[in-house]
Amino acid sequence: MAQTMEALGNDERTAWTRFEALYRSSRDDVYAYVMGILRDAAAAEDVTALAFERAYRRRRTFDRHRGEERAWLFGIARNAALDELRRRQRLARLVVEPAAVGEEDAFEEDDVMLRRTAVRTALEAMSGRERELISLKFHAGLSNAELARVLGVSESNAGTMLHRTVQKLRKACNATV
Amino acid sequence: MRQSEDLPLDPDALAELEAIDATLAGEAVDPAFAELAELALLLAADPPRPSAEAVRRLDDRVGGLRVSATPRRRRRAWVLRPAVGLVGALAVAVLVVAVSQSGGGSSLSSTSRPLAAALPGRAATHAASTSSASSGRSDFGPAASAKSAASGSVAAAPPSSAPSVANNLNATPSLAATPSPVPNGRRTIESAQLQLLTSGSRINAVSQEVFDVVGQENGIVKSSSITAAAGNNGFATFSLSIPSANLTTTMTRLSELRYASVASSTNSTQDVNDQYLSDQRALQDARALRTSLLKQLADAVTQAQITSLTAQIHDAEASISSDEATLRGLQDKIDFSPLAVQINSGPVVLPVTASSRGGFTLGRSAHDAVRVLTVAAGVVLIALAALLPVALLVLLGIWTRLWLRRRRREQALDAA
């Protein structure tokens, strides 16, 4: 009995170590992705924590044969973010937070700052689904296969959607600049 | 944006996507994709990041998960307990049904208590009434009742003056050793009553077996009534006429039907030898009288003599016809024996045979084990048949709920 409890304790410690590593490597990316969908810092923080809580509770359901841990984690985060989005849409229209301007912006060259502003403006004008694609690809750094798994579509479909979104973003940026 | 385009990417789009991946991986790209690479770098370099305070709160919240991990494991064990209890209850139910269906196994088949005591309700009542058949009471059909009454009236008389026998075989599952008078050339009328017991679902099958046996023994079904009902409410009655020479064989075969056991049986015999001889003598006398009258008629000379003799001859012929009918009826009763069979539904008591007597044997144990397994498999099959539609409905409900939730999430994203 004591050995069984000890084995359980070892398993628990191993699981926690793995989960902690996943948290450290993905925390900022999950936050960025959720923020891209919700556009609310407080809600993004809450949903990010909720996503990790769910991931830890469901860690036994993770199947490595079906994809990488990051794709599985972003799937959980997506559901949590969309649930929050639904809840907030029922309550009131979201008030889009003004884009935060970092301190480093002051030291950037005018040309880079101009382009960054143009990209932000173009992003704000895009739909939620398009912002989600941009967040998953450029903020979370998912591959196209992982992107497809999170969105529940085929890889070629995910590639097509991403390409169209990037094309649309390029046109919007060029029009702004 | 729709997600229905599941076509292969065109080469240009593929090249652009590869250029994006290469840029994000820090690799050099073709100058033709410089603008795209710059956009990718701008996007990747400007992700929303949590503030230091938000990071601290996130770390605290996620770090708290480790503390609550152990109690959650214990709760899971509690969740499993109802399932274990359900499986246990199912196993007990299977065992109870199996034991009740097998009639208590071989221990009951070798019981020595009176059969009437082992029969519930109506069957027990019948067994009790047939046990007092010597007083002439029986619950069998009207015809059988009449026969029993006739036999009973004779049985009530002293044995020396009325040589009749009523054998009550109550609590005798097999008729192999049915007592019967030693054949001595005397003419007798035999009758029998047989009460069988079968399970409620086999009333029709056992009735068909009765018909088959009667047909094979050249008997006649004078009347029959078969009532198949749910539970132990089914019953069947037969009024049969069997060649007396085949009565013992018929009774033996009916007592060995596949799905029935004998609750009781009654054999009655009535010696009619004196009556038969008396009727025969009366017939011979009437014939002799007619012969004498015919001779006198031949010698008659006056019209008055002729008229008187003719009238006497007519009376003699009427008497001959009556005696012949009486004798023929008696002969029919001697040649064909009435047999009343009643089948009741109830717990079947297996007949005790020479091979089934005794204690534990491997063969009997194996038989019991196979029976228990068969019944258990049947119970499981019925349970599955009942649960399958429920499970399908539950699965459909779960699938619908998941589908609706996914759809609402996508709609929320589209509306954002």
Side-chain angles (χ1 to χ4, degrees):
Chain A
M1 185 68 182
Q3 286 179 344
T4 307
M5 291 302 291
E6 191 178 343
L8 283 174
N10 288 336
D11 287 349
E12 204 63 45
R13 275 193 290 277
T14 307
W16 175 256
T17 305
R18 284 184 56 190
F19 176 76
E20 197 173 27
L22 179 66
Y23 170 72
R24 297 290 170 203
S25 65
S26 310
R27 179 192 60 205
D28 291 351
D29 294 341
V30 170
Y31 177 87
Y33 166 59
V34 173
M35 182 67 180
I37 293 177
L38 297 177
R39 291 185 287 178
D40 180 323
E45 179 189 331
D46 194 46
V47 168
T48 301
L50 186 65
F52 280 105
E53 284 172 1
R54 285 185 185 174
Y56 186 69
R57 281 203 303 271
R58 300 176 189 172
R59 61 190 182 279
R60 288 183 180 81
T61 65
F62 170 65
D63 182 4
R64 190 168 293 281
H65 298 294
R66 295 176 60 191
E68 290 301 314
E69 268 182 331
R70 275 173 66 84
W72 170 73
L73 175 65
F74 275 91
I76 292 174
R78 181 175 196 261
N79 287 339
L82 295 186
D83 287 342
E84 174 64 16
L85 199 60
R86 279 181 59 205
R87 193 182 69 81
R88 293 165 71 88
Q89 281 175 353
R90 280 200 299 267
L91 294 176
R93 296 287 301 169
L94 283 174
V95 178
V96 179
E97 288 187 346
V101 179
E103 292 178 359
E104 68 277 12
D105 286 353
F107 302 99
E108 283 181 344
E109 294 179 10
D110 291 345
D111 186 45
V112 176
M113 222 169 74
L114 191 63
R115 285 183 173 281
R116 194 184 296 272
T117 305
V119 169
R120 282 177 181 165
T121 307
L123 263 179
E124 291 299 331
M126 297 184 88
S127 70
R129 201 174 286 280
E130 289 163 341
R131 286 200 313 277
E132 180 190 29
L133 273 168
I134 296 296
S135 292
L136 285 172
K137 184 65 184 177
F138 298 100
H139 299 162
L142 297 189
S143 67
N144 289 357
E146 290 171 331
L147 204 86
R149 185 171 179 235
V150 172
L151 299 177
V153 298
S154 69
E155 190 173 345
S156 65
N157 198 348
T160 304
M161 291 160 65
L162 178 65
H163 183 254
R164 286 183 182 175
T165 303
V166 171
Q167 289 293 95
K168 186 176 175 182
L169 187 63
R170 281 173 72 182
K171 284 181 186 173
C173 288
N174 290 336
T176 305
V177 175
Chain B
M1 182 180 294
R2 296 289 161 214
Q3 301 179 8
S4 57
E5 303 89 348
D6 200 9
L7 300 171
L9 285 166
D10 68 80
D12 291 342
L14 195 59
E16 288 187 356
L17 288 176
E18 286 173 353
I20 291 172
D21 285 339
T23 303
L24 294 177
E27 298 168 4
V29 296
D30 192 301
F33 302 117
E35 186 195 345
L36 188 62
E38 186 189 15
L39 178 62
L41 287 173
L42 278 171
L43 285 168
D46 191 26
R49 291 296 179 207
S51 64
E53 185 63 21
V55 167
R56 191 186 59 74
R57 283 196 299 268
L58 273 173
D59 289 350
D60 289 346
R61 197 165 157 183
V62 174
L65 293 174
R66 189 179 189 182
V67 178
S68 59
T70 308
R72 192 163 286 129
R73 177 183 291 279
R74 286 179 185 153
R75 278 201 300 274
R76 187 169 291 113
W78 278 99
V79 168
L80 287 176
R81 286 193 181 182
V84 173
L86 191 67
V87 170
L90 190 63
V92 170
V94 165
L95 198 63
V96 167
V97 171
V99 169
S100 65
Q101 285 292 312
S102 64
S106 56
S107 61
L108 267 186
S109 67
S110 60
T111 180
S112 61
R113 58 187 172 149
L115 197 57
L119 302 177
R122 198 161 51 109
T125 308
H126 287 318
S129 71
T130 51
S131 71
S132 60
S134 59
S135 65
R137 288 189 289 107
S138 174
D139 283 352
F140 290 178
S145 296
K147 291 292 176 192
S148 292
S151 136
S153 64
V154 178
S160 57
S161 61
S164 75
V165 179
N167 300 317
N168 189 346
L169 298 180
N170 190 21
T172 306
S174 172
L175 298 179
T178 300
S180 59
V182 177
N184 53 7
R186 295 178 67 83
R187 291 173 177 82
T188 58
I189 295 176
E190 293 182 67
S191 66
Q193 298 167 350
L194 185 63
Q195 194 169 25
L196 301 175
L197 201 58
T198 186
S199 60
S201 60
R202 297 198 186 278
I203 286 286
N204 287 332
V206 174
S207 298
Q208 185 57 53
E209 285 185 311
V210 170
F211 285 129
D212 293 343
V213 169
V214 171
Q216 287 160 11
E217 296 296 335
N218 300 317
I220 299 165
V221 180
K222 293 165 75 176
S223 68
S224 67
S225 168
I226 302 165
T227 303
N232 287 335
N233 296 320
F235 65 95
T237 56
F238 300 86
S239 179
L240 310 172
S241 182
I242 306 293
S244 297
N246 298 345
L247 181 61
T248 305
T249 312
T250 304
M251 290 286 280
T252 303
R253 290 184 65 184
L254 290 177
S255 72
E256 293 173 351
L257 295 182
R258 190 175 173 191
Y259 299 117
S261 62
V262 177
S264 72
S265 73
T266 303
N267 272 14
S268 302
T269 59
Q270 183 182 0
D271 191 313
V272 292
N273 200 60
D274 293 344
Q275 185 185 350
Y276 186 86
L277 292 177
S278 172
D279 290 346
Q280 209 171 28
R281 272 198 298 272
L283 179 61
Q284 286 170 354
D285 289 348
R287 282 174 177 164
L289 177 62
R290 189 183 63 170
T291 304
S292 170
L293 290 171
L294 285 172
K295 283 178 181 175
Q296 290 178 36
L297 182 63
D299 297 335
V301 288
T302 65
Q303 186 58 40
Q305 285 177 328
I306 292 171
T307 304
S308 171
L309 286 170
T310 303
Q312 290 179 53
I313 287 169
H314 283 160
D315 290 345
E317 284 179 343
S319 178
I320 287 170
S321 296
S322 172
D323 290 343
E324 282 178 345
T326 303
L327 201 59
R328 203 163 41 242
L330 191 59
Q331 186 65 49
D332 282 347
K333 288 181 181 176
I334 292 168
D335 291 341
F336 285 90
S337 303
L339 170 60
V341 177
Q342 179 164 357
I343 305 170
N344 289 318
S345 56
V348 178
V349 181
L350 297 175
V352 179
T353 61
S355 60
S356 67
R357 287 194 189 95
F360 174 85
T361 64
L362 280 178
R364 287 173 58 195
S365 301
H367 177 269
D368 286 352
V370 168
R371 188 169 174 79
V372 166
L373 288 175
T374 305
V375 173
V379 169
V380 169
L381 201 62
I382 291 168
L384 283 178
L387 286 177
L388 193 62
V390 177
L392 285 176
L393 282 176
V394 169
L395 284 177
L396 183 65
I398 291 172
W399 181 85
T400 306
R401 185 165 170 266
L402 291 175
W403 182 81
L404 281 174
R405 191 165 67 180
R406 191 162 56 239
R407 182 179 164 82
R408 284 174 185 150
R409 281 173 175 162
E410 298 298 331
Q411 285 174 340
L413 187 59
D414 286 335

